[in-house]
């Protein structure tokens, strides 16, 4: 029986995954590297630095750590500019209601995002107080697909990993949930997220009834 549900943030609760893509694409363009939405799938869920490394690998570019830090900072500045316009009604339709129903049925709810901007996004959406535990990119050493982030969320909730269900839109996130020994709902395309236990096109499609039917 599922005792806790752990939500990823970018691309699961709100469309910030798209802003990450736009900012990375802008940076890639400046570096003369061709970067498509399909290639962006590899960046989803992983840390800012790992994302930059992947883009540089695509362009066969080798830069110093100092240069890389500057580029990562630049991308983040653009990302923060994009998200600053987010309004509370930009949370995906039905997500708040789903979380409310989960909590009413005494199942715990956590957020586990690789992003160091997670707190800002939660503040802009006015949803910080709907979680029993929060884990973000400032609290972990290893990025998804490492299971660290989800194991920390389970620990904070005081539940076993096997009692947790994770909602994820990233391939790296699905792998992390599985590595943590958790059940996983992939949010997006079954092609990209084929390792997940379940796949839905939008977060609220995996309802409370479906959560309760997991044995
Ligand atoms: C994840 C996103 O949630 O956070 C990634 O899926 C992003 O695309 C990562 O790179 C780190 O985000 P930030 O805000 O710390 O640069
Ligand atoms: Mg995501």
């Amino acid at each position: 029986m599922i005792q806790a549900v752990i939500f990823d943030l970018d691309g699961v609760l709100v469309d910030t995954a798209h802003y990450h893509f736009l900012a990375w694409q802008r940076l890639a363009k400046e570096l003369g590297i061709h970067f498509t939405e399909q290639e962006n799938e590899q960046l989803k869920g992983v840390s800012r630095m790992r994302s930059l490394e992947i883009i540089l690998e695509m362009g066969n570019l080798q830069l110093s750590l100092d240069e890389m830090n500057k580029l990562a900072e630049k991308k983040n500045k653009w990302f923060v500019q994009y998200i600053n316009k987010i309004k509370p009604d930009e949370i995906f339709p039905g997500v708040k209601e789903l979380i409310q129903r989960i909590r009413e049925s005494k199942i715990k709810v956590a957020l586990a995002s690789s992003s160091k901007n997670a707190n800002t996004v939660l503040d802009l959406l006015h949803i910080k107080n709907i979680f029993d535990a929060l884990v973000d990119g400032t609290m972990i050493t290893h990025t998804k697909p490492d299971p660290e982030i989800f194991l920390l969320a389970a620990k904070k909730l005081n539940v076993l990993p096997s009692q947790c269900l994770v909602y994820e839109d990233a391939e790296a996130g699905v792998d992390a949930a599985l590595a943590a020994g958790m059940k996983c709902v992939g949010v997006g395309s079954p092609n990209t997220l084929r390792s997940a236990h379940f796949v839905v096109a939008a977060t609220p499609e995996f309802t409370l009834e479906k959560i309760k039917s997991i044995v």
Side-chain angles (χ1 to χ4, degrees):
M1 273 264 285
I2 296 300
Q3 303 288 328
V5 177
I6 306 173
F7 289 95
D8 170 50
L9 173 65
D10 297 317
V12 167
L13 303 186
V14 61
D15 199 13
T16 35
H18 186 63
Y19 296 126
H20 277 295
F21 167 62
L22 290 180
W24 283 125
Q25 198 184 42
R26 188 167 165 185
L27 191 79
K29 200 174 171 194
E30 267 200 13
L31 296 167
I33 300 170
H34 184 66
F35 179 64
T36 64
E37 200 146 13
Q38 185 56 40
E39 287 162 334
N40 182 60
E41 287 301 322
Q42 298 172 52
L43 272 61
K44 284 187 181 172
V46 307
S47 68
R48 195 180 306 165
M49 255 314 173
R50 182 64 202 130
S51 300
L52 178 60
E53 282 169 11
I54 296 170
I55 290 184
L56 294 178
E57 281 162 22
M58 282 173 190
N60 268 323
L61 264 185
Q62 279 188 343
L63 300 177
S64 69
L65 190 60
D66 189 43
E67 287 169 310
M68 286 175 68
N69 280 329
K70 281 188 187 131
L71 290 178
E73 218 171 277
K74 194 174 199 179
K75 179 267 171 180
N76 192 53
K77 232 188 223 165
W78 289 332
F79 176 73
V80 171
Q81 274 170 16
Y82 297 152
I83 62 165
N84 267 336
K85 295 177 204 111
I86 289 179
K87 297 277 172 297
D89 66 0
E90 279 180 59
I91 186 164
F92 286 138
V95 162
K96 234 173 152 175
E97 293 75 9
L98 173 66
I99 295 177
Q100 222 160 347
R101 290 194 70 209
I102 296 171
R103 295 199 58 169
E104 279 163 15
S105 67
K106 305 284 176 242
I107 295 172
K108 292 176 184 172
V109 180
L111 182 107
S113 168
S114 307
S115 174
K116 293 181 174 162
N117 293 295
N119 265 301
T120 309
V121 176
L122 294 177
D123 279 340
L124 287 162
L125 294 174
H126 298 175
I127 56 167
K128 212 180 214 162
N129 58 355
I130 65 176
F131 299 98
D132 298 297
L134 296 176
V135 186
D136 70 17
T138 65
M139 303 174 190
I140 50 164
T141 323
H142 306 290
T143 192
K144 299 169 187 175
D146 190 283
E148 179 183 1
I149 192 163
F150 293 128
L151 293 174
L152 182 57
K155 196 172 163 194
K156 282 192 166 202
L157 293 173
N158 207 15
V159 293
L160 293 171
S162 59
Q163 298 171 317
C164 296
L165 173 70
V166 173
Y167 282 65
E168 255 297 343
D169 70 317
E171 212 177 333
V174 172
D175 291 344
L178 266 55
M182 300 179 177
K183 291 277 188 307
C184 186
V185 182
V187 180
S189 150
N191 290 333
T192 322
L193 306 171
R194 68 178 74 84
S195 336
H197 295 92
F198 317 93
V199 179
V200 289
T203 305
E205 282 176 26
F206 203 84
T207 59
L208 175 63
E209 287 68 32
K210 287 186 183 162
I211 296 172
K212 284 184 167 172
S213 72
I214 298 173
V215 282

